[in-house]
Amino acid sequence: MRHADTIVAPITAPGIGAVAVVRISGQDAFAIARAIFDGLPTSPMTHRAYYGGFTHGDEGLMLVFEDGHGYTGEPSAEAMIHGSPASVRLVVEAALGAGARMAEPGEFTLRAFLNGQMDLSQAEAVRDTVEAQTDLQLRFANAQRSGALRTSVRAMRAQLLAALAAVEAHVDFEEELGPLDREMVRDAADRVAQEIELWLATERAGQIVRHGLRIALIGEPNAGKSSLLNALLGRDRAIVTPIAGTTRDTIEESVILGEIPCVLIDTAGLRETEDPIEVLGVARAQAAAANADAVWYLHDAIKTPAPAPDCDLLLLTKADLSAPNTRVESGLSVSAVTGQGLDQLHAWVSAQAEVAPDRACLINARHAPHFRMALTGLNLVESALEHDLPDDLLSVGLHEAHAHLGEITGDTATEDLLTSIFSSFCIGK
Ligand SMILES: Nc1nc2c(ncn2[C@@H]2O[C@H](COP(=O)(O)OP(=O)(O)OP(=O)(O)O)[C@@H](O)[C@H]2O)c(=O)[nH]1
Ligand SMILES: [Mg+2]
């Protein structure tokens, strides 16, 4: 697809930097680049940087990409100038004056998608790559950007299409072709369903990598919740005293544990109390536990064990003071004083997002529902085969699965979907 207009926008972050880059993309990119820059020869070579002066007075480089190359897959020129807000504004204005128009948010990537440089899952991964805060977010964004999801989904669609072609040929020409090879259809549907299940099994990990975990620290007064919060944060955030009932309100703090962005919620100790303030605090603690992704129950190791609480992880605190209470069977010993057990807490969090080392994971919430709807189509195929239902039902199920997988790669995406995805990009992406 070719776009009539040529677009321009800075592709580096706003603000002051040593260098800023402004991209011009579209059919007139070279002509516009030449109008604002004196270093470009009549036929510039693709992937080559040219040095020269800009009409607004700055000097720098112009990097050019011919049609079919570069990020957008259309002719483009990237001006590397000094990274002052003024220089960036002036070079953009010069390009606008020479016939470009301002790029919409996500428009460079939209063009890359429309020009076949990447599929929709890769375009989404571009956004995830630039927004990555943790190493793990970057690793999974890189995997998806380099086509892990695209390759897998395309292969699944190809198998479904082959099955669909066979089924439809038999629906139309049953007399000539003889009976349908239903085993072949079953095999294709099974293989695809298994591959989808593998992806769906990574959904929770993907969500945790992306959005992190909210972890509530719950326990009796004086169990050491606030001390553990402070130890994990590495700073003195919450008030700690030997008086039971020190923490009244919930305290939320962000911290990266085991490469996962976490929100730790310190809470009031749970106990029966007459104190109206503490009553409210206990209610908040219970609400925090109910709304958290994980609950860590802290128990003072020298005290008699409380009845086994409903929690995701039992922590035996103050390990520096005593051997852990042997009557509590499972539980991780920690000490806010010596730091014992903190590494295991990091490891516990990473384990929540563990994915087989050779697999990518579903980091975009958009993808899993399409996989599930594709599975619904495959279930229809399965039951049509099981109950010897007519071939055209097979075709309906296969179609449904094929179309839903296409939503992931963007092969069957509607204009509305594309607009909503690309408009969430920032300017210059
Ligand atoms: N030796 C030792 N003392 C600790 C440890 N953790 C907490 N304490 C002490 O235990 C007491 C209570 O600690 P807090 O962190 O305030 O306990 P809490 O669970 O937040 O208590 P509330 O806010 O009252 O519910 C304080 O005197 C802490 O110094 C630990 O790991 N080792
Ligand atoms: Mg406290």
Side-chain angles (χ1 to χ4, degrees):
M1 189 178 299
R2 287 286 163 257
H3 296 87
D5 43 359
T6 298
I7 54 178
V8 63
I11 58 174
T12 40
I16 294 172
V19 172
V21 181
V22 173
R23 178 184 286 143
I24 305 165
S25 181
Q27 291 313 300
D28 298 330
F30 292 179
I32 292 171
R34 208 169 283 114
I36 65 170
F37 175 76
D38 63 15
L40 217 55
T42 335
S43 345
M45 286 173 65
T46 188
H47 296 83
R48 175 76 61 103
Y50 295 90
Y51 173 76
F54 288 86
T55 49
H56 71 285
D58 201 355
E59 61 184 320
L61 297 174
M62 188 71 82
L63 177 59
V64 298
F65 299 96
E66 269 171 12
D67 206 4
H69 296 278
Y71 183 71
T72 55
E74 56 189 13
S76 53
E78 295 178 2
M80 287 169 208
I81 51 177
H82 289 105
S84 68
S87 190
V88 170
R89 181 168 37 80
L90 290 173
V91 82
V92 168
E93 280 172 10
L96 294 175
R101 86 165 155 75
M102 200 67 203
E104 304 285 339
E107 197 170 8
F108 291 126
T109 308
L110 175 61
R111 287 190 175 194
F113 166 73
L114 294 172
N115 290 330
Q117 300 288 101
M118 55 181 78
D119 81 338
L120 197 51
S121 74
Q122 290 172 302
E124 290 172 297
V126 167
R127 186 188 50 200
D128 295 331
T129 307
V130 301
E131 290 176 359
Q133 305 262 4
T134 68
D135 298 6
L136 215 50
Q137 287 172 345
L138 184 61
R139 189 178 113 207
F140 286 122
N142 284 340
Q144 187 172 315
R145 210 188 61 255
S146 43
L149 191 52
R150 169 190 175 144
T151 310
S152 159
V153 171
R154 291 244 154 121
M156 288 191 258
R157 294 189 88 219
Q159 293 186 57
L160 294 178
L161 205 59
L164 199 52
V167 171
E168 300 216 321
H170 277 84
V171 170
D172 294 342
F173 306 103
E174 177 139 30
E175 319 251 294
E176 294 87 328
L177 294 172
L180 172 67
D181 179 358
R182 294 186 142 223
E183 274 316 300
M184 182 279 263
V185 176
R186 185 194 301 275
D187 276 357
D190 280 355
R191 272 197 308 272
V192 171
Q194 277 168 22
E195 176 76 5
I196 291 177
E197 296 286 6
L198 284 176
W199 278 110
L200 285 174
T202 69
E203 185 188 5
R204 180 172 145 83
Q207 288 306 300
I208 292 175
V209 167
R210 190 186 184 87
H211 299 293
L213 276 183
R214 288 174 60 82
I215 302 171
L217 308 183
I218 301 290
E220 288 176 7
N222 262 353
K225 302 176 293 298
S226 302
S227 302
L228 185 67
L229 172 78
N230 291 345
L232 286 168
L233 293 177
R235 66 194 163 89
D236 194 12
R237 169 66 181 85
I239 297 173
V240 167
T241 75
I243 302 163
T246 302
T247 306
R248 302 297 185 88
D249 215 339
T250 50
I251 299 179
E252 294 196 12
E253 284 296 327
S254 301
V255 62
I256 290 180
L257 302 179
E259 287 194 51
I260 306 290
C262 293
V263 174
L264 294 178
I265 309 157
D266 180 22
T267 62
L270 302 174
R271 67 170 169 185
E272 297 286 330
T273 167
E274 305 273 279
D275 180 334
I277 304 173
E278 209 178 340
V279 167
L280 294 173
V282 170
R284 285 190 178 202
Q286 282 156 342
N291 295 324
D293 301 308
V295 173
W296 289 355
Y297 189 88
L298 282 73
H299 181 74
D300 190 333
I302 43 177
K303 289 175 84 177
T304 349
D310 183 18
C311 68
D312 298 287
L313 182 62
L314 176 63
L315 299 180
L316 304 176
T317 56
K318 312 187 191 179
D320 54 292
L321 290 184
S322 69
N325 194 313
T326 46
R327 277 168 295 176
V328 180
E329 284 169 4
S330 63
L332 175 65
S333 294
V334 296
S335 166
V337 171
T338 62
Q340 179 188 332
L342 299 191
D343 285 351
Q344 282 97 313
L345 290 178
H346 281 263
W348 185 89
V349 173
S350 329
Q352 305 307 302
E354 203 147 69
V355 175
D358 57 337
R359 277 209 83 85
C361 75
L362 289 184
I363 46 175
N364 298 102
R366 191 182 74 80
H367 299 152
H370 289 300
F371 272 133
R372 273 193 278 276
M373 287 187 274
L375 271 187
T376 308
L378 294 175
N379 288 339
L380 181 62
V381 172
E382 206 70 41
S383 62
L385 288 168
E386 197 129 313
H387 303 104
D388 254 333
L389 302 176
D391 289 350
D392 41 4
L393 272 183
L394 293 179
S395 157
V396 170
L398 290 168
H399 256 302
E400 199 174 304
H402 185 258
H404 278 295
L405 292 177
E407 299 263 336
I408 294 172
T409 50
D411 291 296
T412 47
T414 60
E415 178 119 13
D416 283 354
L417 172 68
L418 295 180
T419 311
S420 93
I421 290 176
F422 287 98
S423 60
S424 69
F425 280 57
C426 48
I427 278 276
K429 252 289 137 231

